[in-house]
Amino acid sequence: LALKKVKGRYFMTCGEYDETMHQRLIDEQGFINDMNKALTNREFLFYLQPKYELSTSRIIGAEALVRWLHPQKGFIEPNRFIPIFEENGFIFSLDKYIWEEVCKLLRRWLDEGRPIHPISVNISRVDLYSDELVGFLDELIKKYNIPARLLELELTESAYFNNPEQIVDITQKLQKMGFIILMDDFGSGYSSLNMLKDVNVNVLKVDLKFLQNTSQNNRSGRILNAVVYMAKCLELPIIIEGVETLQQSEFLQSIGCSWVQGYYYSRPIPVKDYEKLIDQMEYL
Ligand code: C2E
Ligand code: CA
Ligand code: CA
Ligand code: CA
């Protein structure tokens, strides 16, 4: 451990975090200066990462993932700016923008009579602090006249940690309006089972990445098997993300997992490419 002074502030640094922390300090001020202009100039966009039914390899929907196409800095991945915007509160404005862009796309697909699958959007734990959240989503689907089930909502599990009652309340309200709630990053937090007991989510979303650091691979496999089994007992659909290899895909099939998402199937891709994928699938 070392104490490092940057821009008049002290930071505790330890090995691998050092570089990320350093990058973040460089990014921070620039991103904050540019964020509002970026929103008006429509520099934020989203990619779609398809979700698949494992047994048939058919696309069942997609997740919208934000990117920043910065005029000077180029293409920026969300892990660089989301934590900064969560800290200063801008994330809610950004998320509302992305949700609306997704609704516009769904509206266009409906108008064009395209085969339509749901798109899930991410809800930051910070968004949950806003009283506007539920009302905003309600107005949004009314404005674009979209069935709520087409705009799925991914809530990160770690959100439960600070405000359990609020999460229970918000999920109930949203579900009454017809929204599907996915519990994102399930198993990576400290209170997964508590959360599961209290919050009546519609889908569990488990990231393979959090299991990959366990000392024996075998052990990860057995944990995952147990999680899939638990979801079955609760009659909760489960989607496994971060699937990168054929072996992982075969293993997931063997333990009876039904839905997957990951680089092995497809990376997040521009909307146009996703539309092509859907068209190809429909003509098969
Ligand atoms: P997440 O919601 O857990 O999204 C999954 C992330 O894993 C995405 O990273 C995705 O590209 C990546 N991923 C998908 N399949 C694989 C795989 O097979 N292997 C590996 N190594 N990674 C895979 P991305 O797009 O960089 O997003 C990172 C995080 O940023 C997201 O994690 C989410 O927490 C946040 N985020 C992204 N878009 C939004 C947004 O519009 N709003 C909010 N609030 N957060 C967002
Ligand atoms: Ca997500
Ligand atoms: Ca996740
Ligand atoms: Ca995440």
Side-chain angles (χ1 to χ4, degrees), residues 219-270:
R219 202 172 161 79
S220 312
R222 278 190 263 166
I223 294 173
L224 199 62
N225 194 352
V227 171
V228 170
Y229 179 71
M230 181 193 68
K232 267 208 183 92
C233 296
L234 293 169
E235 292 173 22
L236 255 183
I238 188 167
I239 175 160
I240 311 287
E241 68 176 328
V243 182
E244 291 181 346
T245 66
L246 173 65
Q247 287 92 319
Q248 288 173 340
S249 155
E250 285 173 345
F251 173 71
L252 293 173
Q253 200 139 19
S254 78
I255 62 172
C257 170
S258 44
W259 299 334
V260 286
Q261 182 183 341
Y263 293 170
Y264 176 66
Y265 294 92
S266 170
R267 295 207 164 233
I269 49 177

Side-chain angles (χ1 to χ4, degrees), residues 7 13 23 27 61 106 122 130 135 178 182 184 199 204 206 229 231 233 247 261:
K7 287 192 186 165
T13 62
Q23 182 62 47
D27 289 342
L106 288 166
N122 287 283
S130 169
L182 288 82
D184 202 358
V199 192
L204 281 191
V206 179
Y229 179 71
C233 296
Q247 287 92 319
Q261 182 183 341

Side-chain angles (χ1 to χ4, degrees), residues 1-6 9-22 25:
L1 280 170
L3 213 52
K4 203 172 175 180
K5 193 177 180 186
V6 191
R9 285 151 79 186
Y10 283 98
F11 290 91
M12 201 81 99
T13 62
C14 59
E16 61 181 298
Y17 288 101
D18 208 359
E19 206 176 306
T20 336
M21 179 88 66
H22 188 65
L25 283 162

Side-chain angles (χ1 to χ4, degrees), residues 74-259:
F75 195 82
I76 312 174
E77 300 269 334
N79 285 333
R80 275 178 65 195
F81 56 83
I82 298 253
I84 294 168
F85 294 159
E86 284 186 327
E87 202 173 296
N88 72 4
F90 180 70
I91 190 68
F92 190 48
S93 304
L94 175 56
D95 277 343
K96 285 192 287 188
Y97 175 81
I98 295 293
W99 304 337
E100 179 149 12
E101 290 300 300
V102 168
C103 284
K104 286 182 192 167
L105 178 63
L106 288 166
R107 184 67 255 161
R108 177 162 71 71
W109 286 348
L110 288 166
D111 289 343
E112 292 171 355
R114 281 175 158 275
I116 195 151
H117 307 279
I119 300 180
S120 63
V121 293
N122 287 283
I123 297 197
S124 163
R125 57 192 166 73
V126 175
D127 299 334
L128 297 169
Y129 290 115
S130 169
D131 306 333
E132 279 178 56
L133 177 67
V134 173
F136 181 85
L137 286 167
D138 186 34
E139 275 168 34
L140 196 60
I141 53 163
K142 283 183 183 143
K143 178 173 172 192
Y144 291 93
N145 190 18
I146 287 162
R149 59 169 182 86
L150 289 181
L151 185 72
E152 296 184 342
L153 308 175
E154 299 201 5
L155 260 166
T156 177
E157 191 214 54
S158 64
Y160 178 82
F161 188 65
N162 286 324
N163 40 353
E165 295 88 6
Q166 210 172 345
I167 297 235
V168 173
D169 180 51
I170 291 176
T171 21
Q172 274 174 357
K173 282 186 184 142
L174 291 170
Q175 282 167 328
K176 272 205 195 102
M177 292 156 50
F179 287 106
I180 305 286
I181 310 287
L182 288 82
M183 190 48 65
D184 202 358
D185 304 320
F186 179 78
S188 62
Y190 296 102
S191 51
S192 309
L193 294 179
N194 241 329
M195 190 281 304
L196 203 56
K197 175 169 68 63
D198 297 338
V199 192
N200 195 5
V201 296
N202 302 100
V203 182
L204 281 191
K205 196 163 184 189
V206 179
D207 197 330
L208 272 189
K209 275 172 280 173
F210 94 88
L211 283 169
Q212 275 157 7
N213 297 328
T214 50
S215 47
Q216 307 143 270
N217 259 336
N218 198 8
R219 202 172 161 79
S220 312
R222 278 190 263 166
I223 294 173
L224 199 62
N225 194 352
V227 171
V228 170
Y229 179 71
M230 181 193 68
K232 267 208 183 92
C233 296
L234 293 169
E235 292 173 22
L236 255 183
I238 188 167
I239 175 160
I240 311 287
E241 68 176 328
V243 182
E244 291 181 346
T245 66
L246 173 65
Q247 287 92 319
Q248 288 173 340
S249 155
E250 285 173 345
F251 173 71
L252 293 173
Q253 200 139 19
S254 78
I255 62 172
C257 170
S258 44
W259 299 334

